[in-house]
């Protein structure tokens, strides 16, 4: 099957080499590596897909979903780290936080950005696993450009659906803080772009194995962008641990505009597809007029980062179900860490989208 939907791509993803992850204080090998995107590209090239280059967009399009302070921090963090000599003494070649702006630390005050180069990361990062290196900012910024380019393509009616091969991923990033291998929220930027370009309500459906906590937080008090996520239950011990529960339904004007469906570890196609269907109905009932799919393929059986057991057929069926909504759709890459299956899983999902769209 030839894939007709445009694939938005940037070679700049390779500039981000995580260089490892600090987990429980130990530096372990990085999981969100450049080979991931290259494996996806190879699988999509094999079905003759058309690649489109990510178009540069102004920072204003990023600032629709992020505070300027986070963007400024990411832009300068590595250079300041290097200038402070930290790669030589104590010998840390990536930006790693050590002290965090925990809410309980300043119960009666608003924390300010620390002066020390080595303290600043703990104001902007909420975990120790998401390191910043020399090319991280440029790659993350290019990933947002890819998501925005895909949003522009479908908003202009150039294609009913477009896929952005975004790396590094983004759905764990809130307006102000980053983590979970993510730096800037690509899916949120695409949703904000669709919102302003189409004028209608937008839904973000997140099928990554992990809760899309950043996207949820960015739109939590808004009624015009619905957010919905199926993921492995944080209450069963899984990242992002603090969020992703079914009780999180939105706040203020956004009350009722967020839906979480946590699944038990070990859940497979049947439970997962029921949840995807529930999220699709949530978007339909909420009168969404455009859709962003946060497409992580780490819910697949065999992925090292999640205990869900979804098959390639399951991902294809999810693509069909989401395309059957009949909405202009932007798919944005999130997780997926098994290098031998990530490409085929993305290919199957996109093939499902194509099947569902021709049937809708
Ligand atoms: C985009 C995405 O899928 N981010 C998920 C990040 C979840 N990381 C949690 C890691 C938990 C510890 N895993 C042990 C790996 C040791 N290298
Ligand atoms: Zn994930």
């Amino acid at each position: 099957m030839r894939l007709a939907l445009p694939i938005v791509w940037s070679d700049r993803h390779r500039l981000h080499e995580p260089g490892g992850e600090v987990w429980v204080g130990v530096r372990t090998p990085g999981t969100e590596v450049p080979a991931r995107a290259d494996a996806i590209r190879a699988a999509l090239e094999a079905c003759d897909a058309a690649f489109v280059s990510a178009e540069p967009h102004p920072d204003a399009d990023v600032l629709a979903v992020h505070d300027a302070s986070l963007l400024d921090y990411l832009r300068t963090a590595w250079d300041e780290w290097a200038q402070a000599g930290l790669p030589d003494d104590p010998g840390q070649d990536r930006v790693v936080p050590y002290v965090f702006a925990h809410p309980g630390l300043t119960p009666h005050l608003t924390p300010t950005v620390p002066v020390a180069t080595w303290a600043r990361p703990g104001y902007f990062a909420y975990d120790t696993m998401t390191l910043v290196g020399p090319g991280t900012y440029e790659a993350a910024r290019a990933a947002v450009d890819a998501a925005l380019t895909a949003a522009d393509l479908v908003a202009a009616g150039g294609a009913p659906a477009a896929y952005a091969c975004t790396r590094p991923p983004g759905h764990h990033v809130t307006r102000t803080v980053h983590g979970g291998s993510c730096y800037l929220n690509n899916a949120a930027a695409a949703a904000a772009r669709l919102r302003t370009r189409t004028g209608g309500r937008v839904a973000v459906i997140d099928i990554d194995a992990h809760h899309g906590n950043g996207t949820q937080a960015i739109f939590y008090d808004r009624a015009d962008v619905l957010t919905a996520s199926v993921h492995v239950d944080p209450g069963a011990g899984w990242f992002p641990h603090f969020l992703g529960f079914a009780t999180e339904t939105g706040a203020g004007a956004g009350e009722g505009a967020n839906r979480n469906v946590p699944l038990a570890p070990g859940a497979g196609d049947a439970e997962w597809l029921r949840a995807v269907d529930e999220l699709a109905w949530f978007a339909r009932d909420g009168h969404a007029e455009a859709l962003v799919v946060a497409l992580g393929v780490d819910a697949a059986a065999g992925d090292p980062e999640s205990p869900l057991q979804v098959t390639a057929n399951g991902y294809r069926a999810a693509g069909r179900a989401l395309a059957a909504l009949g909405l202009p759709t932007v798919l944005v890459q999130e997780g997926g860490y098994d290098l031998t299956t990530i490409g085929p899983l993305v290919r199957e999902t996109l093939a499902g989208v194509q099947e569902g769209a021709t049937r809708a």
Side-chain angles (χ1 to χ4, degrees):
M1 172 176 199
R2 182 179 176 273
L3 279 179
L5 85 178
I7 311 298
V8 185
W9 176 266
S10 171
D11 280 331
R12 283 188 288 167
H13 83 83
R14 288 190 200 103
L15 296 170
H16 172 55
E17 257 291 358
E21 305 172 346
V22 177
W23 188 62
V24 298
V26 177
R27 186 136 169 187
T28 58
T31 49
E32 201 291 287
V33 292
R36 296 177 60 247
D38 293 329
I40 293 170
R41 184 175 178 115
L44 300 184
E45 272 178 347
C47 25
D48 222 11
F51 285 75
V52 177
S53 290
E55 284 295 323
H57 283 67
D59 282 351
D61 294 334
V62 185
L63 298 173
V65 295
H66 291 303
D67 272 12
S69 61
L70 176 62
L71 196 63
D72 289 345
Y73 164 73
L74 291 169
R75 185 185 286 120
T76 55
W78 168 256
D79 286 347
E80 291 193 13
W81 191 265
Q83 268 158 31
L86 293 160
D88 296 322
D89 179 11
Q92 181 52 271
D93 70 353
R94 290 293 185 277
V95 176
V96 187
Y98 97 99
V99 59
F100 291 92
H102 194 287
L105 178 65
T106 53
H108 308 105
L109 304 159
T110 304
T112 52
V113 179
V115 171
T117 299
W118 42 90
R120 208 169 300 131
Y123 185 92
F124 293 104
Y126 61 80
D127 67 35
T128 60
M129 305 197 53
T130 310
L131 312 188
V132 175
T136 299
Y137 175 73
E138 209 183 319
R141 191 60 184 74
V144 182
D145 282 334
L148 291 166
T149 301
D152 287 342
L153 277 170
V154 303
Y163 166 76
C165 189
T166 44
R167 178 183 174 273
H171 72 148
H172 293 305
V173 189
T174 74
R175 189 167 280 280
T176 53
V177 292
H178 81 98
S181 304
C182 302
Y183 302 87
L184 294 169
N185 197 319
N186 310 306
R193 184 79 171 164
L194 285 175
R195 175 76 189 95
T196 52
R197 288 208 48 172
T198 67
R201 190 171 284 183
V202 177
V204 182
I205 295 183
D206 190 318
I207 62 172
D208 184 278
H210 305 96
H211 175 232
N213 63 290
T215 319
Q216 168 178 301
I218 287 168
F219 298 114
Y220 205 61
D221 58 2
R222 285 173 61 168
D224 60 336
V225 180
L226 308 169
T227 47
S229 180
V230 52
H231 44 265
V232 60
D233 188 358
W238 292 85
F239 189 92
H241 302 287
F242 298 95
L243 293 124
F245 300 95
T247 48
E248 297 156 18
T249 55
E255 181 57 58
N258 186 72
R259 175 74 59 94
N260 286 329
V261 183
L263 297 180
D269 284 352
E271 300 98 310
W272 189 74
L273 286 169
R274 251 199 315 276
V276 170
D277 216 45
E278 180 182 336
L279 302 188
W281 275 105
F282 177 71
R284 198 191 295 266
D285 289 345
H287 305 290
E289 293 176 40
L291 175 67
V292 174
V293 179
L295 171 59
V297 293
D298 45 4
D303 191 282
E305 294 295 319
S306 115
L308 298 179
Q309 300 290 328
V310 178
T311 67
N313 280 336
Y315 269 98
R316 190 159 181 149
R320 279 196 299 270
L322 295 170
L325 286 168
L327 301 174
T329 299
V330 172
L331 299 109
V332 173
Q333 186 65 40
E334 300 288 358
Y337 304 97
D338 176 19
L339 294 175
T340 61
T341 55
I342 184 173
L345 286 163
V346 172
R347 179 194 67 215
E348 289 304 300
T349 311
L350 300 185
V353 166
Q354 202 157 301
E355 289 165 355
T358 45
R359 220 172 291 167

